[in-house]
Amino acid sequence: MDSKLAKKIVFEVRLAGWLCLLPASGMLFLYKLTQGTGFLWGIGLVALLAAYILATAATDRWQKPAFVMRWALIALFFIGFIPSIPLLVAYDQERKAGQQ
């Protein structure tokens, strides 16, 4: 994989990590309204996943399409739709690069 595509993938993975803050801020707002402890657990889960994504964004495992798709599905089902979009774009770019 060329370095230009690798830099795009790293950017999209980092973008997905930062976009995890949107659902976390929504959960924080809902926690303030309801004082439900379930929202605190959700914020913790989202913060841990976002920290993992941001900490490992520059590693080589994000260059594998299967790994990116796995995390895109995790983000889609456990965090929200918005953070999974950059991961799905990265998966599509990696898949197309692998076919060439």
Side-chain angles (χ1 to χ4, degrees), residues 15-38:
L15 179 64
W18 285 109
L19 285 176
C20 289
L21 295 178
L22 292 176
S25 66
M27 286 185 213
L28 183 61
F29 177 73
L30 291 173
Y31 171 73
K32 284 184 175 182
L33 290 177
T34 63
Q35 298 296 319
T37 58

Side-chain angles (χ1 to χ4, degrees), residues 1 5-13 62-63 90 93-94:
M1 186 175 299
L5 180 62
K7 286 181 182 180
K8 283 183 182 180
I9 302 297
V10 169
F11 172 76
E12 289 166 355
V13 170
W62 288 100
Q63 306 302 322
Q93 288 179 352
E94 288 178 353

Side-chain angles (χ1 to χ4, degrees), residues 51-70:
Y52 175 77
I53 290 171
L54 288 171
T56 63
T59 60
D60 289 336
R61 50 185 136 162
W62 288 100
Q63 306 302 322
K64 299 174 189 168
F67 186 78
V68 175
M69 178 54 91
R70 185 178 316 129

Side-chain angles (χ1 to χ4, degrees), residues 37-57:
T37 58
F39 292 116
L40 289 178
W41 286 103
I43 293 169
L45 175 69
V46 170
L48 284 174
L49 290 174
Y52 175 77
I53 290 171
L54 288 171
T56 63

